[in-house]
Amino acid sequence: MAYYYAEPCHTFNEYLLIPGYTGPDCVPSNVSLATPLAKYRPGKEASRLTLNIPLVSAIMQSVSDDRLAIALAKEGGISFIFGAQSIRSQAQMVAKVKSYKAGFVVSASNLTPDSTLTDVLNLKEKNGFSTIAITHDGSAHGKLMGIVTSRDYRISRMTGSEKVSTFMTPFSKLVTAPESVSLKEANDIIWDHKINALPIVDNEGCLKYFVFRKDYDSHKDNPFELLDEQKRFRVGAGINTRDYKERVPALLEAGADALCIDSSEGYSCYQADCLKWIRDTYGSSVIVGAGNVVDADAFRFLADAGADFVKIGIGGGSICITRETKGIGRGQATSVIEVAAERDKYYKETGVYVPLCSDGGIVYDHHMTLALAMGADFIMLGRYFARFDESPGAKVMVNGAYMKEYWGEGSNRARNWQRYDLGGAGKLSFEEGVDSYVTYAGSLRDNVELSLYKVKSTMCNCGVKSIPELHKNARLTLVSPTSIIEGGYHDVTLHTNATSIK
C-alpha cells in the first residue's frame, strides 16, 4: 500500500523562533550574511562561490533579466538569468552583466550625426541613459564622431529637428583613452579632467567602451558587491534538461559564474543525465545547482549526481498551481527541515557540504530568517523581486494603485514547457502557473536593505551573528492557529479606521 507520512507538512507561517541570549556585541552591524553557493569541504577548502547576502532571484521571465542581475549583484546576491528564451539572447544578457561592472561598459545608446534632437530625446526616454555615443553608423562600436549629453542641448530653445552634428560635443574636443588603459588609469583620467564619461577607443578611432564616474561612486556606495576576480559582477543562468549541450557552452563563454537546472521537480533521470554531461565535459570547474526537491531521498540523489547546490520547494510559489493541478508538493518549512537534516547527514558521511536553496513560500520578511534557521543557506525569490523597478514586468495602474506584472513559468503567458518536461512532447499541455500582478514596491536596493536589516535584527534576538551559527543554535516552535492570530494586532480598532466627531 502507499506510504503515509504520520505528520502533516507545515509552512513557514506555522513556526516562530525562540529568542536566545543577546550579548553586547550582538548587533545588526556585526552580523555577517555571507553564505556558500557551491559545495565544498569545510576545513579543507572554501566554497568556489560565496554570496555576500543569502538572496538569489528566481529563474523567471518576469524576474531575472540583466537589469535585475546588475542591481542584485550590487547588493551582494546573484541572479539566475531566465532560460525560457533563445540561447543567444540568454547569453547576451549574461554578457551584459559581465561587461557592466568590469567598468568598461559597451554603449547601449547610439545615434549617427544625421540623427535629430527628437531622436536623442526618444532614445533617452527609452533607455534612461543621458550619455549617447554618436558613431558614423549608429552602432556601439562604430567610428566615434562625438557624444551628446543633457548639457549639449536646451529643449526650450530648440525645435527637435536639429541634427545631432550641430550640437554634439565633437570627437576633437573629447577626452578619450586607448584600449590598453586599465580601470584604475581610466578612473584617474576621469577625476583629473573632471568628466563624467570616458570613451575608450581603438587605434582606428572606433568606440569600444565607456568608463563612467558613477560606476566608481557606485562601488564605494555598495561595499558588498558580488564581484569576480576581474572585478566584474557575478551572474548565474538557468538551464533545462533538453538543450543543455548547446546552451551550457554558450552561457559559459558569455561569462556565467553559476548555472542551475530549472525544473518544477528535480528527482529525475533527466537531471542526473544533465549533471553527468556537465561533469564529464567540464569536471568540477562549472558550478551547477539542481532541483527542486522536497525530501531526503531526492536531495541525496542530486548530491550524488554532482549538484553543487540543491534547490528545495514544489508548489509553494505565489504564482504556482502545481499542487492544485497535479496534487504533488509539500509544505515549504517541512521540506527545508527534512532536506537540511539529510544534508547534514551527507556531510558527516562524505565530508562534503552541499548548500541548500529554499525556493518558494516566502510571504513576509521574517520567513527569510525562518528558512535560514531551518537549514537553508540562501533563498530564491520570485514575487519579492518582481515588485521592484529593476524587474522586467511592466509597471501598470490597477484599481488606482501601481502594480508590476508577474507571471509563472508554467503559465500560458510564459509557456516554459522545458521546466515541466518529463520526456514527452515539447509543449505545455496544461498550466502550472498563473498570470498576475504584484504591488509595486520601488527600488531593489531600498527593499533589500530593509529586509536584510530585519533578518540581522532577528538573528541578534537569537544570539547569533552568522548563518552557520543560526543553523546550529536556532530554536523553533510550531504555533497553533490561535497563536498565529495572536501574532498580529487584535482586539483593537486601528486609528486609521476611526472618524473624528466634531
Side-chain angles (χ1 to χ4, degrees), residues 61-281:
Q61 298 168 41
S62 56
V63 178
S64 296
D65 65 356
D66 52 288
R67 187 182 179 205
L68 189 126
I70 291 168
L72 183 53
K74 286 181 179 179
E75 303 308 312
I78 195 170
S79 290
F80 286 89
I81 303 292
F82 71 91
Q85 58 180 315
S86 71
I87 295 173
R88 180 181 179 184
S89 60
Q90 187 185 21
Q92 287 176 338
M93 284 190 180
V94 169
K96 284 182 180 179
V97 179
K98 299 306 292 185
S99 65
Y100 183 92
K101 194 48 197 178
F104 296 90
V105 182
V106 175
S107 178
S109 293
N110 311 283
L111 292 171
T112 69
D114 290 331
S115 301
T116 65
L117 175 61
T118 298
D119 295 327
V120 169
L121 299 178
N122 289 339
L123 189 57
K124 183 179 179 182
E125 174 69 21
K126 177 183 177 182
N127 292 342
F129 304 130
S130 59
T131 299
I132 298 176
I134 309 303
T135 60
H136 78 288
D137 59 359
S139 71
H141 298 299
K143 189 175 180 63
L144 184 62
M145 311 301 291
I147 288 178
V148 170
T149 71
S150 56
R151 293 178 298 182
D152 292 315
Y153 56 85
R154 294 185 65 177
I155 300 175
S156 61
R157 297 188 178 185
M158 302 170 76
T159 65
S161 61
E162 294 85 354
K163 287 191 175 183
V164 166
S165 59
T166 64
F167 60 87
M168 69 181 186
T169 300
F171 182 83
S172 61
K173 294 184 178 180
L174 293 176
V175 176
T176 64
E179 279 188 276
S180 59
V181 71
S182 69
L183 184 57
K184 182 182 184 305
E185 291 169 338
N187 281 318
D188 287 342
I189 294 172
I190 287 173
W191 285 99
D192 290 344
H193 292 271
K194 299 180 180 180
I195 56 178
N196 292 322
L198 176 68
I200 310 299
V201 297
D202 63 16
N203 293 333
E204 304 299 323
C206 293
L207 179 64
K208 303 302 292 184
Y209 308 101
F210 276 113
V211 175
F212 293 100
R213 176 193 291 263
K214 65 180 177 63
D215 286 341
Y216 178 85
D217 295 335
S218 172
H219 177 64
K220 297 302 181 183
D221 292 337
N222 297 280
F224 295 108
E225 286 181 326
L226 193 63
L227 307 175
D228 63 18
E229 296 79 4
Q230 301 177 51
K231 305 300 182 184
R232 301 177 301 176
F233 280 143
R234 296 278 195 179
V235 63
I239 60 174
N240 62 68
T241 56
R242 283 275 184 156
D243 64 7
Y244 56 87
K245 293 182 180 179
E246 294 77 36
R247 191 174 293 269
V248 170
L251 294 174
L252 295 177
E253 184 177 353
D257 296 284
L259 305 174
C260 184
I261 303 173
D262 183 28
S263 175
S264 63
E265 198 277 299
Y267 196 1
S268 73
C269 60
Y270 309 109
Q271 292 218 5
D273 290 344
C274 179
L275 289 168
K276 183 179 186 303
W277 181 84
I278 291 174
R279 294 295 173 235
D280 288 346
T281 306

Side-chain angles (χ1 to χ4, degrees), residues 331-385:
Q332 189 68 6
T334 301
S335 300
V336 173
I337 291 169
E338 179 175 320
V339 174
E342 188 67 16
R343 182 270 313 281
D344 293 345
K345 181 180 177 182
Y346 187 85
Y347 166 55
K348 290 180 181 179
E349 294 174 3
T350 66
V352 177
Y353 184 92
V354 180
L356 300 178
C357 172
S358 178
D359 177 19
I362 302 294
V363 180
Y364 306 108
D365 287 346
H366 75 271
H367 289 170
M368 297 181 186
T369 319
L370 286 168
L372 296 172
M374 291 172 181
D377 296 277
F378 55 98
I379 305 156
M380 179 170 279
L381 301 164
R383 181 195 63 85
Y384 178 84
F385 287 118

